[in-house]
Amino acid sequence: MKQSLHFSTRLTGIIIVWLMSFNILSAQWFWQNPLPQGNYLYSVSFFDANNGTAVGLSGTILRTTNGGTNWSLQTSGTTTMLKGVCFTDVNNGTVVGNTGTILHTYDGGINWRVQTSGTTTPLYCISFSDTKNGTAVGYGGIILCTTNGGVNWNSQSSGTTEHLFGVFFFEAKIGIAVGANGTILRTTNGGVNWNLQSSGTPSNLNSVSFTDVNTGTAVGTSGTILRTTDGGINWNLQVSGTTNYLLGVSFTDANNGTAVGATTILRTTNGGVNWNLQISGTIYYLYGVSFTDANTGIAVGENGIILHTIDGGVNWNSQTHGIRNYLYGVSFTDANTGTTVGASGTILRTTNGGVNWNLQISGTTYQLNCVSFINANTGTAVGYNGTILRTTNGGINWNSPSGTTVILFGVSFTDANNGTTVGQSGKILRTTNGGINWNLQTSGTTNLLRSVSFTDANNGTVVGATGTILRTTNSGINWNMQTSGTNYELFGVYFTDTNNGTVVGANGTILRTNNGGVNWNSQTIGTTYYLGVSFTDANNGTVVGSQGTILHTTNGGVNWNLQSSGTTTTQLNSVSFADANNGTAVGDIGTILRNNIIQIPPAPTLISPVNGITNLQPTISFDWNSVPTSTSYRIQVANDSIFTSIVKDSTESVDSLVLSGFLANGLYYWKVAAINIAGTGLYSNVWHFQINPTGINNYTSTIPKEFKLYENFPNPFNPTTKIRFDIPKNSLVKIIVFDMTGREIQQLVNKELTAGAYEYEFNGNNYASGIYFYRMQSADYLSVKKMVLIK
């Protein structure tokens, strides 16, 4: 499908009510351009120079562990717009977004879990002072607070209905929130009370950053920058030197800070006395910025742009790759070989299924709307100002045999010689000699014509404005108007044979015929603009359109299933399938998506520990059979058979897992599911096992009054001795044995224990005679004792 209008910022159509439920054949679409993806990014949080996370549109979460050299898409489990992210260490992070969304990870984003916010109000920003204490702010002055890492979120009274866009807590009690119309709120008691501060500006304040409890900076619209040195009681206006929107700010100390916004990066090294404009190298809005030291920072923004600096912004380098020109047409002749065309004469070519897309020289700056290849070498592209480009060597050279100045939107070739192009004012042009000559045909209409599909030299269909459908059975000598049953504009048409064809268009229009267009039956779904269509046979087809919509059918459109494109805002303009499994969709901002249809993996079979086994030691080796189509596995261990009390939930890349010092005495249940790009499969059967270690036991029911580590008995010993210790309250206890050099030789205890008196039997059979030390450590206690092993 080919089209030249840009709808994505103007359409508000409701996403579709889908006709089919879950299907175990799932299609995953991957970004091939721009990379790592093209959705807007609104916030970024780096814990150190290497580990960072960015979030944005369509539930996008990106993660880097090498300072942004590589970014990996993580599975957020949502398509909701994500606006804020905060990490307190490498593993623990929280994300907030629209509809009250709060996601939390404890493992660096391998798993993201939904937390209950208690609201559907959009949340714009999140700040944690430590892993437990966090605050989220958002629409209409909403403020949510947690003191237990998000297990519970409680609403606080902000005293305002102004939208709050930024929040920063330097420690658990003292925080600042900023928002619309110059709103600044301050708390010194963890949000029990929020007090309005005078900002002295009517500008919207979008972001705030503090380096200590007193020193902070807020930025906003019209180039507004405010500075406080007394914890937010008083704010002074600074000269930014710009009137552009400022949307993000990050300070690493009282002097060094960076503000970003509408195509703008500002830098100060003296606490904002002077702000200097830096060269960003991008024309896109920047929404978020995070610096880990005075020199190292990341800025993120529109169309997935990511900028990186290691010299305080003297140089900003893009970590995103690929062109961002709008793409309107795509044609693949086999799974590997394809071409896409678009704005400013853009032509991209791949010969390896889109792993690499190479820019070709088109010789024009006019927009190209459609491309048609009949084999790997021979193709034609059409566009504005009557542009017709022809190649016979796979795009190494493109020649221009044009003969008209009207805008051309669609082109279809059935062999090297016979082709048709359509466009403005009802124009239809036909060639029978590979484009050397183009002859005007009589269409019988002045309506704009958008797309054309021929199945052989004689039989073709054209669609366009006001529901226009034209049909020929004699190579265009005669074009006959067909009854479409709609007045909506039609953007795409695809026939797999003379009889079976599909047309797509505005307001969710999908029309289907199985008799060459004598009858067109409506399969209309929702109000999305459908812009491109491709079928591989009469039954299997895909439709793409606005808001990143991709629909797929396996029964000729009787049912259409929504597929995840990875974006809910980017308009997709065209799609081409070379076979039932390999498809490519293209669209705005240079978007190229590639699909891979694969079956969700079956459930693994558990191997060990054997079901029902007892008297196991705390170190457990879990094994299950390898599932050939899986890329990783998810294992869950719980205290109950229905997994309401989960003690371990992790994703593993291999078909085994060892847990050491993690599980206490008791009965446990476990299960495993296989994962691949299609999704997570069914869990295995649930097995159980019992841990009853002989090494440690609670030898009395008396609760001690204080922590104490006793001398081991006997001492000297050969080869066993007993180590007793007391804990007066539930505590995480570690007991480790060291040799004379201070080298750790064995960890006896490393777990949460209930209050009690304990005894551990240490066996020194594997160690040489000599002096050893054992150390007991908890949050409130540390003690070291000496023991002697004599053999």
Side-chain angles (χ1 to χ4, degrees):
M1 173 33 244
K2 5 358 219 170
Q3 65 92 34
S4 61
L5 300 182
H6 182 220
F7 294 99
S8 61
T9 58
R10 302 198 291 265
L11 293 178
T12 57
I14 300 171
I15 290 293
I16 303 156
V17 176
W18 308 111
L19 301 180
M20 285 288 285
S21 58
F22 179 77
N23 189 327
I24 64 168
L25 285 180
S26 173
Q28 182 71 39
W29 291 81
F30 300 95
W31 287 91
Q32 290 188 331
N33 188 80
L35 291 174
Q37 57 87 54
N39 290 319
Y40 282 33
L41 298 173
Y42 291 118
S43 184
V44 59
S45 175
F46 268 72
F47 173 71
D48 55 36
N50 291 315
N51 294 278
T53 299
V55 301
L57 283 176
S58 305
T60 298
I61 301 181
L62 295 176
R63 175 77 169 179
T64 182
T65 57
N66 56 11
T69 302
N70 303 106
W71 289 88
S72 301
L73 273 168
Q74 296 187 327
T75 302
S76 67
T78 182
T79 57
T80 298
M81 181 189 298
L82 303 177
K83 297 301 294 284
V85 55
C86 180
F87 271 74
T88 55
D89 57 44
V90 172
N91 293 313
N92 287 279
T94 302
V95 171
V96 299
N98 281 3
T99 66
T101 299
I102 302 180
L103 306 176
H104 180 72
T105 183
Y106 61 91
D107 54 14
I110 295 173
N111 297 284
W112 286 95
R113 292 179 173 176
V114 177
Q115 294 186 330
T116 302
S117 67
T119 183
T120 57
T121 300
L123 301 173
Y124 297 137
C125 191
I126 178 73
S127 177
F128 272 75
S129 58
D130 54 57
T131 57
K132 298 294 184 183
N133 294 280
T135 299
V137 300
Y139 185 90
I142 189 170
I143 301 180
L144 302 178
C145 177
T146 182
T147 56
N148 54 14
V151 176
N152 304 106
W153 287 92
N154 302 307
S155 179
Q156 295 183 331
S157 175
S158 67
T160 183
T161 57
E162 300 286 1
H163 307 329
L164 299 176
F165 300 122
V167 62
F168 197 101
F169 271 73
F170 188 76
E171 51 108 307
K173 298 296 183 182
I174 301 174
I176 295 287
V178 301
N181 297 314
T183 299
I184 300 180
L185 302 176
R186 181 172 185 261
T187 182
T188 57
N189 56 13
V192 175
N193 303 106
W194 286 91
N195 302 308
L196 185 65
Q197 309 290 312
S198 176
S199 68
T201 179
S203 298
N204 290 348
L205 299 176
N206 298 313
S207 182
V208 60
S209 175
F210 274 72
T211 55
D212 58 51
V213 74
N214 292 313
T215 309
T217 300
V219 301
T221 54
S222 303
T224 300
I225 302 180
L226 301 177
R227 176 80 166 181
T228 182
T229 55
D230 58 8
I233 297 172
N234 296 287
W235 293 85
N236 301 308
L237 187 65
Q238 295 186 327
V239 178
S240 68
T242 184
T243 57
N244 288 345
Y245 278 39
L246 298 177
L247 301 167
V249 61
S250 176
F251 272 75
T252 54
D253 56 51
N255 291 314
N256 291 280
T258 299
V260 301
T263 68
T264 300
I265 301 181
L266 300 177
R267 176 75 171 177
T268 182
T269 56
N270 56 12
V273 175
N274 304 106
W275 286 92
N276 302 307
L277 185 66
Q278 294 187 328
I279 298 173
S280 69
T282 182
I283 60 172
Y284 296 115
Y285 274 47
L286 299 171
Y287 294 113
V289 59
S290 178
F291 272 74
T292 54
D293 56 49
N295 292 315
T296 308
I298 294 279
V300 300
E302 279 187 309
N303 301 333
I305 194 72
I306 303 174
L307 302 180
H308 180 238
T309 183
I310 56 173
D311 55 15
V314 175
N315 296 285
W316 286 93
N317 302 305
S318 177
Q319 293 184 328
T320 53
H321 310 282
I323 69 149
R324 283 179 166 77
N325 289 340
Y326 285 30
L327 301 174
Y328 296 113
V330 60
S331 176
F332 270 74
T333 54
D334 57 49
N336 292 314
T337 308
T339 300
T340 181
V341 301
S344 303
T346 299
I347 301 179
L348 298 174
R349 173 82 166 179
T350 183
T351 56
N352 56 10
V355 176
N356 303 107
W357 286 91
N358 302 308
L359 187 64
Q360 295 187 328
I361 298 173
S362 67
T364 183
T365 58
Y366 287 115
Q367 178 173 301
L368 300 174
N369 295 318
C370 188
V371 60
S372 174
F373 272 75
I374 54 97
N375 58 42
N377 292 315
T378 307
T380 303
V382 301
Y384 272 46
N385 200 42
T387 299
I388 302 177
L389 303 179
R390 176 78 168 177
T391 182
T392 57
N393 56 12
I396 296 173
N397 304 107
W398 287 90
N399 304 307
S400 179
S402 182
T404 181
T405 58
V406 301
I407 301 174
L408 300 173
F409 290 108
V411 61
S412 176
F413 272 74
T414 55
D415 55 49
N417 292 315
N418 291 280
T420 300
T421 182
V422 301
Q424 196 176 28
S425 304
K427 292 294 189 293
I428 302 179
L429 302 175
R430 176 77 173 177
T431 182
T432 57
N433 57 11
I436 295 173
N437 304 107
W438 289 91
N439 302 307
L440 184 65
Q441 295 185 328
T442 302
S443 67
T445 182
T446 58
N447 287 340
L448 184 151
L449 302 177
R450 287 284 191 182
S451 184
V452 55
S453 176
F454 271 76
T455 55
D456 56 48
N458 293 314
N459 292 278
T461 300
V462 172
V463 300
T466 64
T468 298
I469 301 181
L470 303 176
R471 176 77 170 177
T472 183
T473 57
N474 57 10
S475 303
I477 295 172
N478 303 106
W479 287 94
N480 301 308
M481 186 75 73
Q482 294 186 329
T483 302
S484 67
T486 182
N487 287 320
Y488 289 121
E489 186 161 10
L490 303 176
F491 292 106
V493 56
Y494 199 100
F495 271 75
T496 55
D497 55 50
T498 303
N499 291 315
N500 288 280
T502 301
V503 170
V504 298
N507 283 65
T509 300
I510 302 178
L511 305 177
R512 178 78 173 170
T513 184
N514 57 15
N515 56 13
V518 175
N519 303 107
W520 287 95
N521 302 307
S522 176
Q523 296 177 337
T524 295
I525 304 174
T527 58
T528 298
Y529 274 54
Y530 298 128
L531 305 170
V533 55
S534 178
F535 272 72
T536 55
D537 56 46
N539 290 315
N540 292 277
T542 299
V543 170
V544 301
S546 59
Q547 300 171 321
T549 302
I550 300 180
L551 302 179
H552 182 68
T553 183
T554 57
N555 56 12
V558 176
N559 303 106
W560 289 94
N561 303 309
L562 178 65
Q563 294 184 331
S564 175
S565 66
T567 179
T568 57
T569 55
T570 303
Q571 180 169 294
L572 301 176
N573 298 317
S574 184
V575 60
S576 176
F577 271 74
D579 55 48
N581 294 319
N582 294 280
T584 300
V586 301
D588 292 358
I589 63 164
T591 297
I592 303 178
L593 304 177
R594 178 79 168 182
N595 91 317
N596 189 1
I597 298 178
I598 190 169
Q599 189 173 4
I600 291 175
T605 300
L606 304 185
I607 298 175
S608 69
V610 175
N611 192 27
I613 192 170
T614 60
N615 297 320
L616 292 179
Q617 295 296 306
T619 298
I620 305 295
S621 177
F622 295 92
D623 291 290
W624 54 89
N625 76 308
S626 177
V627 177
T629 60
S630 69
T631 56
S632 60
Y633 300 89
R634 184 173 182 178
I635 179 172
Q636 289 188 341
V637 183
N639 293 124
D640 60 289
S641 61
I642 58 174
F643 290 80
T644 58
S645 177
I646 295 177
V647 297
K648 184 67 175 178
D649 187 350
S650 67
T651 301
E652 306 298 328
S653 59
V654 295
D655 51 349
S656 64
L657 172 67
V658 176
L659 294 181
S660 179
F662 184 84
L663 302 175
N665 295 2
L667 180 64
Y668 293 93
Y669 298 83
W670 68 293
K671 60 183 180 179
V672 179
I675 303 171
N676 62 19
I677 59 174
T680 301
L682 296 175
Y683 275 101
S684 64
N685 292 332
V686 176
W687 282 12
H688 67 277
F689 59 89
Q690 180 86 31
I691 291 182
N692 292 308
T694 57
I696 184 172
N697 65 84
N698 192 328
Y699 65 88
T700 177
S701 60
T702 302
I703 303 299
K705 295 181 179 180
E706 62 182 359
F707 286 97
K708 188 170 183 179
L709 178 63
Y710 294 92
E711 297 286 349
N712 62 299
F713 180 83
N715 193 23
F717 65 97
N718 179 25
T720 63
T721 186
K722 292 182 178 180
I723 299 172
R724 289 189 173 185
F725 58 96
D726 296 342
I727 56 172
K729 60 181 180 180
N730 296 358
S731 303
L732 175 62
V733 176
K734 294 182 180 179
I735 299 180
I736 301 173
V737 178
F738 301 88
D739 63 15
M740 282 287 291
T741 67
R743 179 175 61 91
E744 179 182 327
I745 66 166
Q746 187 173 336
Q747 182 174 273
L748 306 184
V749 180
N750 182 9
K751 65 177 64 180
E752 187 83 21
L753 294 175
T754 58
Y758 292 88
E759 181 180 79
Y760 189 98
E761 184 173 85
F762 173 65
N763 191 325
N765 194 51
N766 294 327
Y767 304 111
S769 297
I771 298 175
Y772 294 87
F773 299 91
Y774 57 101
R775 182 185 70 195
M776 172 181 166
Q777 183 178 359
S778 72
D780 303 304
Y781 182 76
L782 178 65
S783 180
V784 179
K785 303 291 183 183
K786 181 174 72 173
M787 59 184 175
V788 180
L789 173 61
I790 298 177
K791 292 187 174 180

